[in-house]
Amino acid sequence: MRRLLALAGLLAVAGCGDDGTISAGEGAKPQLVVSAASSMQEALTACAPGYADAELRLQFAGSDELAAQIRQDVPVDVFAAANTELPEALEAEGKLETPVTFVSNELVLAVPAKDARVASLADLERPGVTLVIGAEGVPVGDYTRKVLDGLGAARSRAVLANVRSNEPDVKGVVGKLAQGAADAGFVYLTDVEAAGERLTAIELPAELDPSATYAAGVVKAAKRPEAAEAFVDDLLAGGCHTALLEAGFGEP
Amino acid sequence: MSGAGRGWFAVALAVALGAVLTFLTLPIVAIFLQQPPRDLIAALGEDGALDALWLSLQTTATALALILLAGTPAAYLLATHHFRGRAAVITLIELPLVLPPAVAGIALLAAVGPATLLGRAAADAGLELSLATAGVVVALTFVAAPFYLRQAVSAFEAVDPTLLDASRTLGASPARTWWRVAIPTALPGLVAGTALALGRALGEFGATLMFAGSFQGVTQTVPLAIYDRFATDFTAALALSAVLVAVSAGILLSVKLVRGPDPLRG
């Protein structure tokens, strides 16, 4: 119930934003509800008005929350997640058509652009450094833990001991960093680019495999499966794919 | 004719009550019915759930202590002195009552956030607010205090002034009059205000997440723990929700016992 209300709220907000601009094509275009990972917010918000085949109602949150909503049969047409595990799990549960990977991203260590106290991954092990990461179960949090696992148990434990907040989505991490609440945080490269001058990205060594693969699929209960399929194709090769690349995402 | 009209009206009223009751109780009942009670209790045994309950208890109790300590004399002043600008002061004090939690979170970040002078001064003085338990207490105090203050002002206003005058005529100091006459007389109203503030503080979510973050045992209160689990462990989220429902019902009931049948009116 709580999450139904939350979704209703989100949709109401999305609706307020869209109605003014789309009213010209009222009735002509099908309406698609798209649940997308927070990290795609800037890119998809940018490409949505130009998407010709449907009126997009975008809602953004941690992919795990969006997946939980779809599990509870919240009426969503397309699910675009920041990993492949969640869409695959939904497919296995019969809630989602076969997902496709459409873009990739990269986990980075983000620090404030000015007066950063952290200059490298090793600095995170120093006692007293404050770190903010995504919660377990949220893709960005799971990627972070995987990367830290690659450091070995002792170093990973030292870093995790400095974690001061487990945020429900990647925007929460960015927000805490932008406020100066923490010295560093693990986010996607695209988040640092979207934050403009405020954050600096420290790239992670390739052997820790900081890559993130995004997958999307049509929800089984979608009211307009063809329109939903067309939008997934757009994420794969159309205008929204281009917008994602412009925002710093890579080919899958 | 008029008898038939009344009968129709009575049915309409009953239907309205039935609709209200169903709408308000169904979601709460559903919390307890979706999983067997055994699973709910088992989910509460998990480390994080206990940490969240304990943290909520500590931070709420601290916030309430601060609210009572500063709020009770402040409310007494507002209730007994009619100075210029009093209405404006009361409006300002009540403002957080109607502020959305997200606004409260942003407001706290803007006022005492880590990037502000005040926030840095507090941190230098050893009182770290950002991503710390003290920050949770600040958030809870900010959102819950108006609930107590409003109720306390009207409770003190309802105290018969002749009682206070009599006490002073008999030689009691203003402080003693306040402590021995005004507070005991206003006590039911003060208790109701405390309960409302307690309920609001226990349920605080948005301002806490934005201002204090979410970390098990440090800043992850029960509402944040529920949100953290709802995607990954729905049973645990239900179990913690059930605890909050039970505690809230307990608060409401105890207020009804203290105050008689009409607890929420000033």
Side-chain angles (χ1 to χ4, degrees):
Chain A
M1 191 66 203
R2 202 187 176 99
R3 90 187 66 149
L4 285 176
L5 289 174
L7 182 70
L10 282 169
L11 292 181
V13 169
C16 293
D18 287 347
D19 284 344
T21 49
I22 313 277
S23 54
E26 203 174 3
K29 287 199 220 172
Q31 202 180 77
L32 275 187
V33 179
V34 178
S35 284
S38 290
S39 43
M40 288 180 279
Q41 187 162 353
E42 288 85 4
L44 294 189
T45 310
C47 73
Y51 184 67
D53 299 335
E55 180 190 338
L56 300 177
R57 297 255 156 142
L58 301 168
Q59 63 148 340
F60 300 98
S63 303
D64 62 326
E65 279 161 45
L66 298 170
Q69 289 175 346
I70 292 167
R71 260 184 209 116
Q72 298 278 320
D73 296 329
V74 169
V76 171
D77 299 299
V78 174
F79 177 44
N83 66 10
T84 54
E85 286 87 348
L86 285 164
E88 277 163 11
L90 285 180
E91 184 196 11
E93 292 164 39
K95 298 283 188 188
L96 198 74
E97 305 289 352
T98 308
V100 291
T101 58
F102 62 101
V103 283
S104 66
N105 209 341
E106 187 186 334
L107 193 75
V108 295
L109 184 60
V111 296
K114 276 188 228 140
D115 306 326
R117 292 183 62 209
V118 169
S120 70
L121 200 51
D123 285 347
L124 294 182
E125 298 167 48
R126 284 206 324 260
V129 165
T130 57
L131 181 65
V132 175
I133 64 177
E136 238 171 293
V138 193
V140 71
D142 289 345
Y143 289 127
T144 300
R145 283 167 181 79
K146 194 189 78 183
V147 160
L148 292 179
D149 278 347
L151 293 174
R155 294 185 66 193
S156 162
R157 214 176 308 121
V159 173
L160 286 173
N162 285 331
V163 172
R164 300 281 294 277
S165 187
N166 290 301
E167 295 288 323
D169 64 16
V170 71
K171 292 291 175 235
V173 182
V174 175
K176 293 289 185 293
L177 286 174
Q179 283 296 322
D183 298 325
F186 284 97
V187 301
Y188 300 113
L189 184 60
T190 52
D191 295 304
V192 177
E193 294 191 5
E197 307 290 292
R198 290 178 300 169
L199 300 179
T200 306
I202 298 170
E203 292 199 13
L204 302 172
E207 64 266 25
L208 293 177
D209 188 21
S211 67
T213 307
Y214 286 46
V218 176
V219 177
K220 275 260 167 80
K223 289 201 195 73
R224 298 170 193 280
E226 288 107 53
E229 188 62 52
F231 180 66
V232 172
D233 288 344
D234 193 69
L235 285 174
L236 206 59
C240 283
H241 187 73
T242 310
L244 286 164
L245 295 185
E246 278 166 10
F249 287 84
E251 297 289 352
Chain B
M1 178 68 198
S2 75
R6 264 204 298 278
W8 172 86
F9 186 57
V11 170
L13 292 184
V15 168
L17 176 63
V20 166
L21 202 61
T22 309
F23 182 74
L24 293 183
T25 51
L26 190 66
I28 295 172
V29 173
I31 287 177
F32 294 91
L33 294 186
Q34 196 163 24
Q35 295 286 330
R38 196 169 359 99
D39 292 3
L40 291 186
I41 293 165
L44 282 180
E46 170 221 348
D47 226 27
L50 290 179
D51 277 352
L53 286 166
W54 177 232
L55 182 74
S56 268
L57 199 71
Q58 283 175 304
T59 51
T60 303
T62 312
L64 271 186
L66 293 173
I67 291 169
L68 291 181
L69 226 61
T72 312
Y76 186 62
L77 175 69
L78 285 172
T80 51
H81 292 72
H82 290 256
F83 52 89
R84 275 183 62 152
R86 176 179 177 271
V89 170
I90 291 189
T91 308
L92 284 176
I93 284 177
E94 288 181 353
L95 190 58
L97 204 68
V98 291
L99 281 187
V103 176
I106 286 290
L108 287 173
L109 281 172
V112 289
T116 64
L117 286 178
L118 265 178
R120 245 176 278 156
D124 289 342
L127 184 65
E128 187 73 63
L129 297 178
S130 175
L131 310 189
T133 308
V136 179
V137 174
V138 169
L140 301 192
T141 308
F142 183 72
V143 300
F147 284 82
Y148 176 72
L149 283 164
R150 220 167 104 101
Q151 201 79 12
V153 169
S154 45
F156 281 129
E157 274 173 345
V159 175
D160 188 349
T162 54
L163 270 179
L164 304 179
D165 290 341
S167 163
R168 259 171 265 156
T169 317
L170 292 171
S173 68
R176 194 173 157 81
T177 301
W178 177 62
W179 183 245
R180 300 300 298 269
V181 181
I183 287 185
T185 317
L187 197 60
L190 299 182
V191 171
T194 309
L196 285 178
L198 177 64
R200 179 67 183 88
L202 265 184
E204 213 308 304
F205 173 74
T208 309
L209 181 59
M210 292 172 80
F211 184 60
S214 174
F215 193 81
Q216 185 183 332
V218 181
T219 54
Q220 192 181 75
T221 55
V222 174
L224 272 73
I226 292 172
Y227 190 67
D228 186 56
R229 282 158 182 70
F230 104 109
T232 47
D233 188 354
F234 197 56
T235 307
L238 280 172
L240 282 169
S241 303
V243 172
L244 276 197
V245 170
V247 171
S248 307
I251 292 170
L252 202 58
L253 275 178
S254 52
V255 173
K256 278 189 191 283
L257 290 178
V258 171
R259 288 215 70 192
D262 205 11
L264 301 184
R265 299 247 177 94

